[in-house]
Amino acid sequence: MMSDLSSNPLAFRVTHRLVLSIALPMTLGYLTTPLLGLTDTAVVGQLGDPAALAGLAIGAILFDLLYGSLSFLRTATTGLVAQAFGRQDRREEQAVFLRSLIGAFGLGAIMLLFAPLIWRYAPALMSDDPAVIAATQTYFAVRVLTSPATFANFTVLGYVLGRGQGVLGLKLQILLNGANIILTLILGLWLGLGITGVALGTAGAELIAMIAGLTIILPRMRGGNRPSRTELFDRRKLSALFRLNGDILIRSLVLNGAFALMTRIGSSEGAVTLAANAVLMNLFMIASFFLDGLAGAAEQLSGRAVGANDRPSFARALRLTGGWSLGMGAALVALFLLIGPLVIAVLSTSVAVRETAALYLPLAALTGITGALAFHMDGIFIGATWSREMRNMMLASLAGYCASLALLVPAFGNTGLWISLNLFLLMRGGFLALLLPRKTASTFGL
């Protein structure tokens, strides 16, 4: 049923200021992340050992794949907390957080259980150089020990974002990334521990951030709003949480698979083209930091509106976050076309790679706008916890992506590969947008 501020006591006003109060701090937090890679690379680079540098790169990719695929803890927590926040159900807010935190520690324990197998076999799948494999295993063996803390930080960030506390989220991200940089410099460079010091720095930062986050959140959960054990382990709520997490996990695995497929097909075009594509994908990574911040605002506001049964606020959140996302996407395209040649020059000294990257720069820059709708729709659907539809449309987008690769790559080579990526991003957002009217009607009533 539709509501307004006078008839619905839970209704709230969605303004540009409210959108930006969530999006801007989260964007700034995400933008600190690249500094970690630069610091790690600089520290290990001082060793003068190419194998150590390669091992660091492979280790970082391995954790990106593992933790990126398991980041559903953050997104699921955000959507469920935002809905409880919209209902002003403080007990359920806390229950969602505690359930997710228990799940985080459980997932961390599973990661530690399988760590020996990953340590033994995963590095060898990425390199056949014994020195590189050894360096990767050193990095992995240290960093994996704090997996429970990493997953707990996903839960903390999801809870904070679900309540719309963007500034607190930014502070926690700055603490995490800042501690990581400082510890890496001290342990890796000053104490001369090299790649072991880099891993220890990251692991230590995860522990510091977890302790800080729990120290801030848990004391606020004392008193009458604290959920009982029966509420915490409610079978229906746990089932909903597992189902939501499972859908988002499948969606994340499919997304990672799509990007891995692009890399695999690009490798058939030769080393120069593969390197050029890797350089250009940094533009999409930069775009994702900005678009993710706005997606975070869409998650919180859509979830809050669903929880409050406030259709006008949901519609306005959809319009405002969508407008900002598309505007940001268009600005990113213009920015990438302007500074793209400089970025290419900074990231590669090879003339052949630079020339090849410049050739495909317009198509790479286009991902800023084609990705805008995908990020925005993901945010809306995560906040509303319409996870089954998001999972299914991701699978449908992958099918369309594979079809476009089969048709366009043989005909147009690497140009067809970049066109296919843009089509994949458009399908991700477009398919979800087509479902939006029906899902809105079923959630709020006609």
Side-chain angles (χ1 to χ4, degrees):
M1 178 179 292
M2 292 184 66
S3 59
D4 55 38
L5 290 174
S6 60
S7 63
N8 184 351
L10 300 178
F12 62 100
R13 295 188 183 278
V14 180
T15 64
H16 290 286
R17 182 175 183 176
L18 181 59
V19 170
L20 294 178
S21 71
I22 302 169
L24 286 179
M26 296 313 302
T27 299
L28 292 173
Y30 294 141
L31 286 173
T32 63
T33 302
L35 296 176
L36 303 181
L38 291 173
T39 303
D40 292 352
T41 301
V43 169
V44 177
Q46 295 297 311
L47 302 176
D49 182 359
L53 198 56
L56 171 67
I58 292 175
I61 291 171
L62 181 58
F63 278 105
D64 285 345
L65 288 173
L66 290 171
Y67 291 159
S69 298
L70 299 173
S71 62
F72 56 77
L73 278 169
R74 202 284 297 166
T75 49
T77 304
T78 296
L80 292 172
V81 169
Q83 291 186 17
F85 183 78
R87 294 192 302 271
Q88 295 184 11
D89 187 348
R90 300 296 177 254
R91 290 176 73 88
E92 183 59 18
E93 274 185 41
Q94 296 182 19
V96 170
F97 173 76
L98 293 173
R99 289 186 201 111
S100 185
L101 187 63
I102 293 169
F105 289 136
L107 194 60
I110 293 172
M111 179 70 77
L112 292 176
L113 181 65
F114 284 95
L117 288 175
I118 300 172
W119 177 88
R120 176 68 180 84
Y121 295 107
L125 294 175
M126 299 181 177
S127 175
D128 55 6
D129 186 324
V132 173
I133 291 173
T136 304
Q137 289 176 327
T138 298
Y139 181 81
F140 178 85
V142 174
R143 188 173 168 187
V144 76
L145 295 176
T146 54
S147 292
T150 300
F151 296 135
N153 286 328
F154 288 169
T155 293
V156 168
L157 184 59
Y159 175 79
V160 167
L161 185 56
R163 301 190 77 249
Q165 298 174 306
V167 173
L168 177 55
L170 171 61
K171 290 178 180 178
L172 290 173
Q173 287 294 104
I174 290 176
L175 174 64
L176 171 63
N177 296 336
N180 196 338
I181 291 171
I182 292 171
L183 289 174
T184 295
L185 289 172
I186 292 174
L187 297 171
L189 196 60
W190 187 45
L191 296 180
L193 298 179
I195 194 168
T196 301
V198 169
L200 284 170
T202 302
E206 293 284 2
L207 286 172
I208 290 171
M210 181 192 71
I211 292 169
L214 295 181
T215 299
I216 292 170
I217 292 172
L218 290 179
R220 300 178 182 179
M221 295 188 172
R222 295 172 181 165
N225 289 325
R226 187 158 192 168
S228 66
R229 183 176 300 228
T230 301
E231 290 173 306
L232 189 60
F233 294 101
D234 181 278
R235 183 174 297 181
R236 183 176 58 85
K237 299 281 181 68
L238 286 173
S239 177
L241 178 62
F242 290 144
R243 184 173 60 252
L244 179 61
N245 283 335
D247 289 338
I248 297 175
L249 172 61
I250 293 171
R251 171 254 184 199
S252 298
L253 291 174
V254 171
L255 183 60
N256 287 334
F259 289 124
L261 187 58
M262 180 179 179
T263 301
R264 177 66 185 87
I265 294 175
S267 66
S268 65
E269 298 291 323
V272 171
T273 300
L274 180 62
N277 286 348
V279 168
L280 292 173
M281 281 301 291
N282 284 280
L283 298 180
F284 180 70
M285 180 187 71
I286 293 170
S288 71
F289 294 140
F290 289 93
L291 296 175
D292 251 343
L294 289 163
E299 289 174 32
Q300 201 278 334
L301 295 174
S302 64
R304 181 179 175 185
V306 168
N309 192 32
D310 185 5
R311 185 167 183 169
S313 292
F314 181 86
R316 184 159 174 80
L318 178 66
R319 289 195 303 271
L320 292 192
T321 56
W324 277 104
S325 294
L326 292 175
M328 177 62 72
L332 288 168
V333 173
L335 177 66
F336 291 157
L337 290 174
L338 181 65
I339 70 168
L342 176 61
V343 173
I344 292 169
V346 169
L347 295 177
S348 177
T349 58
S350 167
V351 174
V353 171
R354 287 181 177 180
E355 291 177 347
T356 303
L359 182 64
Y360 301 108
L361 174 60
L363 287 172
L366 195 60
T367 59
I369 190 66
T370 56
L373 183 61
F375 278 85
H376 178 237
M377 283 294 103
D378 274 357
I380 295 294
F381 274 66
I382 287 170
T385 60
W386 297 333
S387 60
R388 183 177 64 178
E389 290 76 13
M390 187 170 64
R391 177 202 67 194
N392 291 344
M393 291 306 98
M394 178 64 80
L395 291 169
S397 300
L398 179 65
Y401 178 52
C402 291
S404 66
L405 289 171
L407 291 172
L408 298 178
V409 173
F412 302 105
N414 201 54
T415 298
L417 185 60
W418 278 101
I419 293 174
S420 295
L421 177 63
N422 280 285
L423 289 175
F424 173 63
L425 295 173
L426 283 174
M427 285 186 284
R428 280 180 56 202
F431 289 165
L432 291 176
L434 290 174
L435 291 179
L436 193 58
R438 178 171 64 82
K439 291 301 301 179
T440 302
S442 66
T443 298
F444 294 100
L446 296 175

